[in-house]
């Protein structure tokens, strides 16, 4: 029993990180129909910025986190204006290649300034203390991750369902051309969505550094994982991303606990079977 | 049966010559390289093997328009199959190549049956997932594959019973070049056949091809199996020439590199695959010898440049330049 609870708690924490990083990717893919392989790069840059601020400039963790996320959002606005705006028009293959190019440059930049070792984020000591849950002790950090994930989910739900921007966004996901012809300023919707996605990736990357350590090759190492979340959840679906992230988090954790050695095989076979049966993901609609 | 109209026309003779052209170009280029760089033969052999691999990817991406990120699966299966055969059964290199081709084809057939029912991002994901499964399986099955250490000490007997593989790598180079020339000939025949035409039709519009009665799915599986066999040959060659097979043969970056090489050169044309591979490997070699990490800057900017400026690859550079000149 306590084993099952452990798997669930660890899996949910892991899933929340996946959710925060991947949800922006899912929405940009559903909205702009772009395969953005550089999305994990925003998580890396966020983590690298926090590392720089906390260890080299002695800034406290929380302000460093806020500053890093802000910096990533600004960078993503710049990149959207300069590069991504043109990439939207490319075919699938062109998008894959252009964004691989961008991610390579991000990796090389981080590597040039900070090296290729794991970058510690200067997490405050209070984050690593354990709290007793009755059946096991849990690092406080996991709890922070789970709570932040729930906040992000709630925030996105409010944004999508209760604001004017959410209406525009959902309309544009459903049909870009019709949305544009109804007078919705789709380029601005794209820009804001892209920036939100990048910012969330940075938050996820920073908070998730305990489980997915930040280092120069981060975006390539975990790219497959993020893309799997998106394709399992279904493009452009926040709830799909959430269900897929938590499900995959628990599946992966269970595989590692129960079938050590065969966990990865189990994980990827499950994904391949699922995608073969439901090519549009759990909550995706036929294109 | 009605007789085909084109069968006796002079065009037929011209086509049969043009079928030989890529192979002849490669042989001439290889002979030149052999004389100019006699001390870099092992690097040249690596380029040649990579060319075989990229040409096989050109068949599925360039001709049939199937974009996958798991082409290393077939390459790796070929490498392991050839390595195991050489270690346990017979050291004959040609037999090893044949087994590698069969292994690649079988892998492509099994995975293709699932993969080719999907498209777009799902196809990319499943192809990546399959390669990951293979890599994990290879690292777990220590009794067979040697796990993370891989297979080492693979030796092959003299080629055709006559030519011993030498230390400098002359025989290995000539052997690989001959295989490449044969593969190019095969691909050129395939491309100029009605089957090749059907593939380009599928790349253009699968639904229209279905409407005129082409069994699209079967054609795709067929070309995937052929490409898998050729990728298996490339893997088998690597195993024989280097004497090593590790789980890195299933690396994601290998599948991505192959795609990059093909797009750099220009997908859809065999010369594009050859030029792209040559450029990528040489730039990699030079940049990596200066600083292995700067290599990523180079390739990153190269990719963005190609996608933005030369979407059809370097092979379209001459036409592109003349277009620009004419406009001004």
């Amino acid at each position: 029993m306590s084993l099952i609870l452990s798997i669930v708690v660890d899996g949910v924490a892991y899933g929340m990180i996946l959710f925060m990083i991947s949800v922006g990717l899912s929405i940009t893919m559903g909205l702009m129909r772009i395969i953005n392989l550089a999305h994990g790069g925003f998580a890396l840059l966020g983590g690298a910025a926090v590392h720089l601020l906390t260890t080299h400039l002695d800034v406290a963790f929380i302000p460093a986190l806020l500053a890093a996320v802000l910096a990533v959002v600004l960078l993503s606005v710049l990149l959207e204006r300069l590069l991504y705006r043109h990439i939207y028009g490319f075919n699938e293959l062109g998008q894959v290649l252009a964004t691989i190019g961008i991610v390579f440059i991000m990796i090389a930049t981080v590597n040039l300034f900070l090296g290729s070792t794991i970058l510690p984020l200067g997490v405050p000591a209070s984050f690593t203390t354990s709290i007793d849950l009755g059946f096991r002790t849990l690092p406080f950090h996991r709890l922070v991750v789970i709570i932040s994930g729930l906040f992000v989910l709630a925030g996105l739900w409010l944004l999508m369902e209760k604001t004017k921007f959410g209406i525009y966004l959902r309309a544009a996901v459903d049909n870009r051309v019709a949305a544009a012809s109804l007078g919705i300023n789709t380029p601005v919707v794209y820009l804001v969505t892209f920036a939100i996605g990048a910012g969330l990736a940075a938050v996820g990357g920073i908070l998730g550094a305990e489980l997915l350590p930040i280092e120069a090759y981060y975006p390539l190492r975990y790219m497959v994982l993020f893309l799997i979340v998106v394709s399992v959840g279904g493009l452009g679906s926040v709830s799909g991303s959430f269900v897929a992230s938590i499900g995959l988090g628990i599946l992966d954790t269970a595989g590692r606990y129960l079938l050590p050695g065969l966990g990865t095989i189990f994980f990827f076979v499950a994904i391949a079977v699922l995608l073969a049966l439901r090519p549009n993901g759990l909550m995706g609609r036929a294109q | 049966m009605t007789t085909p109209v084109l069968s006796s026309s002079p065009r037929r003779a011209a086509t049969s010559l043009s079928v030989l052209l890529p192979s002849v170009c490669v042989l001439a280029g290889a002979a030149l390289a052999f004389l100019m760089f006699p001390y870099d033969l092992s690097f040249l052999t690596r380029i040649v093997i990579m060319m075989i691999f990229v040409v096989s990817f050109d068949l599925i991406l360039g001709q049939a328009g199937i974009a996958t990120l798991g082409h290393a699966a077939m390459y790796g299966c070929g490498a392991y199959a050839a390595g195991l055969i050489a270690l346990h059964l017979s050291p004959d290199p040609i037999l090893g190549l044949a087994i590698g081709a069969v292994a690649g084809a079988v892998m492509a057939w099994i995975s293709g049956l699932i993969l080719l029912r999907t498209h777009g991002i799902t196809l990319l994901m499943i192809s990546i997932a399959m390669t990951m499964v293979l890599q994990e399986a290879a690292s777990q099955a220590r009794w067979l594959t040697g796990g993370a250490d891989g297979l080492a000490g693979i030796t092959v007997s003299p080629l055709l019973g006559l030519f011993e593989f030498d230390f400098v790598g002359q025989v290995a180079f000539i052997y690989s070049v001959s295989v490449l020339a044969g593969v190019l000939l095969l691909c050129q025949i395939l491309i100029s056949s009605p089957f090749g035409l059907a593939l380009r039709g599928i790349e253009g519009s699968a639904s229209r091809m279905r409407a005129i009665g082409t069994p699209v799915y079967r054609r795709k599986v067929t070309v995937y199996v052929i490409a898998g066999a050729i990728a298996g040959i490339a893997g088998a060659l690597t195993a024989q020439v280097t004497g090593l097979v590790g789980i890195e043969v299933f690396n994601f970056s290998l599948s991505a590199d192959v795609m990059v090489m093909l797009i750099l050169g220009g997908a859809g044309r065999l010369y594009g695959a050859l030029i792209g591979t040559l450029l990528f490997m040489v730039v990699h070699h030079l940049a990596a010898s200066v600083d292995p990490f700067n290599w990523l800057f180079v390739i990153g900017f190269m990719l963005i440049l190609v996608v933005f400026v030369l979407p059809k690859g370097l092979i379209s550079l001459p036409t592109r330049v003349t277009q620009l000149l004419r406009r001004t």
Side-chain angles (χ1 to χ4, degrees), chain A residues 29 83 86-87 90 92-94 97-98 100-102 104-105 107-109 111 116 217 223-224 227-228 231 261 264-265 268-269 275-276 279, chain B residues 61 67 69 114 118 120-122 124-126 128-129 132-133 136-137 140 252 256 259-260 263 293-294 296-297 299-301 303-304 307-308:
Chain A
M29 273 176 145
L83 283 176
H86 306 280
I87 297 177
F90 292 166
E92 228 159 53
L93 196 63
L97 292 163
I100 285 187
I102 293 172
F104 278 175
I105 294 173
I107 293 174
T109 312
N111 181 72
S116 59
Y217 279 95
M223 179 184 83
V224 176
L227 287 171
I228 282 176
S231 50
T264 317
I265 298 186
F268 283 109
V269 167
L275 286 179
Chain B
L61 176 63
L69 274 171
I114 304 171
T118 61
I121 175 81
T122 315
L124 289 173
M125 285 310 96
I126 303 188
I128 294 174
M132 296 266 171
V133 169
E136 200 55 31
Q140 293 298 328
F252 169 78
M259 187 185 259
V260 170
I263 300 300
F293 290 105
N294 284 340
L296 281 178
F297 273 120
I299 191 70
F301 280 114
L303 268 175
I304 293 178
V307 178
F308 273 85

Side-chain angles (χ1 to χ4, degrees), chain B residues 135-146:
Chain B
Q135 183 163 46
E136 200 55 31
S139 103
Q140 293 298 328
R142 298 191 60 88
W143 55 274
L144 183 69
T145 61

